[in-house]
Amino acid sequence: MNIEVIITALVGVLTSLASWYAARRKNLADVQSSELDIVEKAVKFYREQFEDITKRLKEQVAENDRMIQLYKEQADETRKLNILNKELIEENKALIEELKKYKQLNGKVVTT
């Protein structure tokens, strides 16, 4: 009778140990699987963020290039207008001098 109780207890203990070992392996596999899922989600999230930032950077670079081109065009236009303005000022001075000479020829007093 004592042997039967000991055998029953040993079988129970061995079954419990085998179940614990199998459950432990399963739990470790579940933990690793869960960790992999978390890592995959994190990689996906950061990849999407990187792609979004890259897209926005490219858009901003294109906008910057467009603004630089507009700036250059406006700078060229300003230079051309400044040259034209100087030419017109010189032409205006020449016309004023010619008008003064004309007035002097007609006997009018020229005041400056």
Side-chain angles (χ1 to χ4, degrees):
M1 181 153 164
N2 259 346
I3 291 184
E4 290 176 10
V5 172
I6 292 174
I7 291 175
T8 305
L10 282 177
V11 168
V13 168
L14 289 175
T15 305
S16 296
L17 286 174
S19 297
W20 171 80
Y21 182 74
R24 180 174 168 254
R25 289 187 57 161
K26 181 183 179 293
N27 286 340
L28 287 175
D30 288 345
V31 166
Q32 287 177 342
S33 174
S34 176
E35 287 175 353
L36 286 175
D37 288 343
I38 290 171
V39 169
E40 285 177 9
K41 288 178 183 176
V43 166
K44 180 182 176 186
F45 172 77
Y46 286 112
R47 182 177 293 130
E48 288 172 356
Q49 291 296 315
F50 177 75
E51 289 170 357
D52 181 55
I53 289 171
T54 302
K55 178 184 170 190
R56 290 175 32 202
L57 177 64
K58 287 180 181 178
E59 290 171 355
Q60 287 300 313
V61 167
E63 177 70 15
N64 190 37
D65 289 344
R66 190 177 68 79
M67 295 303 287
I68 289 171
Q69 183 61 34
L70 286 174
Y71 172 78
K72 288 179 180 179
E73 289 172 4
Q74 290 300 314
D76 288 342
E77 184 68 23
T78 301
R79 271 188 233 97
K80 290 176 185 176
L81 289 174
N82 282 337
I83 291 170
L84 179 62
N85 188 32
K86 288 178 183 177
E87 290 172 357
L88 290 174
I89 288 172
E90 292 302 317
E91 185 179 345
N92 190 26
K93 287 180 182 178
L95 289 172
I96 289 173
E97 288 301 316
E98 190 175 325
L99 184 60
K100 286 180 183 178
K101 291 177 185 176
Y102 177 74
K103 284 183 179 180
Q104 285 176 350
L105 287 176
N106 287 333
K108 295 186 179 178
V109 178
V110 179
T111 58
T112 53

